[in-house]
Amino acid sequence: MIVNIKKENINLYDDNFIPKDYLINELENNPYSKILFLIKNNEIIGYIYYSVIYERVEINQIEIKLEKRNHGYGNLLIKELLKREKKDITLEVNENNYPAIKLYEKNNFIKKAVRKNYYNDEDGLLYERKYIIKNFTNKWDDKMKDMYILGIESSCDETSISIVKNGREEIATIISSQIDIHKDYGGVVPEIASRQHVKNITFVLEECLNKANMTMDDIDAIAITYGPGLIGSLLIGLEAAKTLSFIYNKPLIPVHHIAGHIYANSLVNELQFPLLAVVVSGGHTELIEMDEHYKFTKLGGTLDDAIGECYDKVARVIGLEYPGGPKIDKLAKIGKPTYKLPIPLHDDSYNFSFSGLKSAVINLVHNEKQRGNEIRKEDLATSFQKTAVESITSKTKKAIIDRKIKNVIIAGGVAANSGLREAMTKLTTELGVNLSIPSMKYCTDNGAMIAAAGYYAYKNGRIADLSLNSKSQDTLK
Ligand code: KG4
Ligand code: ZN
């Protein structure tokens, strides 16, 4: 609980940690002073003492009880302050107070100046956080006619921008893939990926608008993948989205990358609820249940590697280029399942595990090499694909039966896998449930899925302000 305490109430809290006399004095003599207390179970955990001086705020002090530090309480106080005081904020901090500096930087405070010997021998740093007031005019309104959303995706190695009408109809998509650059390294190199996004993003935007024969004035809102993904890559898309939102005064809609993959399906079929989303990508393997739009419940997920990651690693072991998933898929069509591999996490949960399968393939290749045997790549690809797909379908089957699911969708890059598409079609036909699979072009990362998800996110009231930050990791919610 965070409360604003008046001076006469400070004494209510009998706690040595609070410099009561000092704070009462400040509240009495400084008309601009305010104090927020963080209270848990009747105990003061921390406080923030600040001054609101006309159009700006100055943080004077923020303290968390020694034994309660490193629990995110400081962050809670700052977040509460940001919610209450919609103004520019400044503060001074000792150059050696790393936890405080980290806290401020995390909350978008920017170092503005160094004040030499401000704290005796130590320097003080002046930090500032600008509050930009933006009143987005076009909040969601059911009477609104057609909605054109610009979706920006840059979480990994694809810079992609699309325009999608009403969450379902793709108007234009441009994807600039970096695969040719990264394949020389056997995988995505984050630093190179970010630089490529910087180079590409304005051209991708221009091309997308040209292709759609539209201008930014025709766009109603901007949807952006804020995470998860490679932080440098995410930030490029995010900055582009924020800049466009600011300049053209368009609402900014934060989209979780996996929500994007799920909503890739709505570009093909209207989503029917309740549904089970089988999320299979380079970074995720999850079973998600949805009762309505934009309400996600995770049933289970991978305990270690994602399935796409496993495909790519196995591909590398047998000498296939990045990304190996599609190449294994191709080979798997011509081979026979002659190699025996363990079925991963063959249990009663909704979870997956792919690192054991990956190790089993590595060991198998290693042992065959030592014996001087040639690896039959196509047979290994078939054996691996059969095992990986079986792991997904067996857990999906369990979820469909247990949860009485009627609609299943597949989402993520591995949804492009022919073995999985086939096995899921067979399974859902057998169980008499509906299956939706995105068309191939919407399986791997693209801006259209972000724009589609953005439409439903917007409808659900999800709008971000310009303090939106990228997150390399974040659960789908
Ligand atoms: O969804 P995505 O584009 O990126 C992430 O969000 O992770 O998925 C990329 C992953 C890569 O691991 C790639 O190898 C895999 O999807 N992938 C495939 C196939 N096409 C792409 N894996 C198996 N079979 C495919 N046909
Ligand atoms: Zn993806």
Side-chain angles (χ1 to χ4, degrees), residues 393 419-432 435:
T393 50
L420 184 67
R421 291 167 92 96
E422 215 172 276
M424 289 289 282
T425 308
K426 188 162 168 270
L427 173 72
T428 47
T429 311
E430 265 169 28
L431 297 177
L435 175 68

Side-chain angles (χ1 to χ4, degrees), residues 343-344 352-354 386-396:
I343 295 199
F352 304 93
S353 162
F354 287 98
K386 185 168 174 282
T387 314
V389 166
E390 252 171 43
S391 158
I392 301 292
T393 50
S394 69
K395 297 296 172 93
T396 304

Side-chain angles (χ1 to χ4, degrees), residues 257 261 281 445 449:
H257 184 73
H261 276 304
S281 77
D445 298 348
M449 67 186 202

Side-chain angles (χ1 to χ4, degrees), residues 87-106:
K87 295 182 160 99
D88 291 357
I89 305 176
T90 52
L91 60 92
E92 279 132 6
V93 58
N94 186 312
E95 58 169 344
N96 293 317
N97 190 351
Y98 301 118
I101 290 172
K102 204 168 134 201
L103 174 66
Y104 296 131
E105 291 190 346
K106 188 169 143 191

Side-chain angles (χ1 to χ4, degrees), residues 257 261 281-283 308-309 311-312 323-326 329 412-414 416-417 443-445:
H257 184 73
H261 276 304
S281 77
E309 188 184 351
Y311 260 92
D312 295 338
D329 191 12
V414 186
N417 185 269
C443 285
T444 41
D445 298 348

